[in-house]
Amino acid sequence: NSVYEPGSTFKPLVAVAGLEEGVINENFTVYCNGSYTYYSDHTYHCAYNKAHGTNNVVGALKESCNVFFYETGRLLGITKLDQWAEAFGLGQKTGIEIPEATGQMSSPEERQANGGTWYPGDTITTAIGQCDNQFTLIQLCNYVSTLANGGTRYVPHLVKKVLSADYSEVILEKQPEVAQKISISKKTLQLVKEGMYKVAMEGSCKQYFQGLPVNVAAKTGTSEVTKKIGDEYIEGNNGFLISFAPYESPEIGVAVVVETADAGSLTAVIAADIYDYYFSAKALQNTTDYNTLLS
């Protein structure tokens, strides 16, 4: 039910959109000197004004280069960005069994409905997961799972099966329910997943993921937030991570948010613990029969 600006976890989606719409390709590069000038008098920055040099889409995902995605967002335009976000289920209810927030996707229509004015630069900031973007964590997890499996978005659920008291009858059993199938080329998937692999295994998260029994693909994100604690306003960054594993043949997607974590990479230690448990024999060794627990 909590909604957040997703920060750079939005960039894999923008990469998919840019590649599939043909505004970028694997050879398309952008030179980053730490800033991006738009309409000759508006300057936007990479995080910490860091200069990333020349990058293609794989390198831009690894380095989380804002400048590359500012330009990709400009080339796409807000209408295409919104269409792809909608396809991945962002800014809309997922259909999970419990109450959930809807969130919202940045758009001129949403801004105008709230009495505001949409400016061309808002498209630029939308492309790096800021502006008016507000998503729930289950939306982010469903989005990365859709990307991992090749483009099939399912309706997520918490309950797999309900049995009668004596286990003799299946009262309810959830079957996979497809919400939408997204057409994504194998080449696009390969490029975007490669960039996410480099984030996890070579980039800012490698110290957490390299010791795992499987290879991970991930994207970190941060978003600025101001919180009131008592009578004091504290500024910080929420940290996010979307991920899946194994990289070669995905089985599980994990999304993490830690409020005021200051860096998305810090959330990787939580995801790493989940993967370590899931892919370890320990997950099966210490189980206790349900009836034993009741006795």
Side-chain angles (χ1 to χ4, degrees):
N1 274 307
S2 294
V3 294
Y4 304 92
E5 285 187 3
S8 293
T9 60
F10 192 62
K11 289 174 180 174
L13 185 151
V14 178
V16 169
L19 290 163
E20 288 299 293
E21 294 293 338
V23 301
I24 65 171
N25 58 36
E26 62 181 314
N27 299 315
F28 175 84
T29 61
V30 172
Y31 178 76
C32 169
N33 65 0
S35 63
Y36 179 84
T37 301
Y38 188 50
Y39 274 89
S40 76
D41 59 349
H42 286 74
T43 301
Y44 302 84
H45 299 280
C46 262
Y48 312 111
N49 295 320
K50 185 176 180 180
H52 295 107
T54 301
N55 269 309
N56 62 8
V57 65
V58 173
L61 284 168
K62 178 189 175 185
E63 301 295 334
S64 200
C65 178
N66 285 352
V67 169
F68 184 96
F69 288 97
Y70 289 143
E71 179 63 7
T72 304
R74 183 190 71 80
L75 293 170
L76 276 167
I78 192 60
T79 300
K80 291 294 185 184
L81 278 172
D82 283 351
Q83 288 172 353
W84 281 92
E86 181 181 0
F88 276 96
L90 297 175
Q92 57 192 284
K93 291 186 176 181
T94 65
I96 199 165
E97 297 99 330
I98 60 175
E100 60 177 322
T102 303
Q104 66 185 29
M105 178 65 201
S106 294
S107 71
E109 295 77 16
E110 180 276 330
R111 179 72 63 79
Q112 290 164 10
N114 288 283
T117 301
W118 183 264
Y119 298 98
D122 291 326
T123 301
I124 302 301
T125 54
T126 294
I128 63 165
Q130 296 182 9
C131 197
D132 300 333
N133 288 334
Q134 294 283 317
F135 307 144
T136 65
L137 201 60
I138 189 66
Q139 288 173 6
L140 291 175
C141 196
N142 216 26
Y143 141 52
V144 75
S145 298
T146 302
L147 179 60
N149 72 33
T152 302
R153 176 164 60 88
Y154 291 94
V155 176
H157 61 85
L158 300 172
V159 176
K160 181 178 182 181
K161 185 186 293 185
V162 178
L163 302 177
S164 60
D166 61 359
Y167 301 102
S168 65
E169 182 184 357
V170 177
I171 298 171
L172 171 71
E173 185 170 7
K174 285 281 188 176
Q175 300 298 329
E177 181 182 348
V178 175
Q180 184 166 350
K181 289 201 172 206
I182 309 170
S183 178
I184 308 173
S185 71
K186 289 184 178 179
K187 185 63 177 179
T188 290
L189 288 168
Q190 180 261 317
L191 291 169
V192 175
K193 288 181 176 181
E194 182 182 352
M196 294 177 69
Y197 171 87
K198 289 180 179 292
V199 171
M201 308 306 293
E202 299 176 12
S204 59
C205 300
K206 67 179 181 180
Q207 61 179 310
Y208 305 109
F209 290 139
Q210 279 189 336
L212 294 175
V214 294
N215 291 323
V216 178
K219 186 67 195 78
T220 58
T222 58
S223 61
E224 296 178 358
V225 64
T226 301
K227 299 181 73 172
K228 185 177 183 181
I229 302 176
D231 295 327
E232 187 177 1
Y233 287 92
I234 305 295
E235 292 185 356
N237 293 314
N238 289 333
F240 300 89
L241 184 116
I242 58 171
S243 59
F244 62 86
Y247 167 70
E248 300 81 2
S249 182
E251 293 181 27
I252 178 175
V254 176
V256 179
V257 59
V258 179
E259 294 185 4
T260 60
D262 285 332
S265 59
L266 296 179
T267 62
V269 66
I270 298 171
D273 281 348
I274 294 171
Y275 287 126
D276 187 45
Y277 180 82
Y278 182 85
F279 291 105
S280 169
K282 294 177 185 177
L284 301 176
Q285 291 174 350
N286 298 322
T287 59
T288 304
D289 180 78
Y290 180 69
N291 289 317
T292 301
L293 289 172
L294 296 178
S295 63

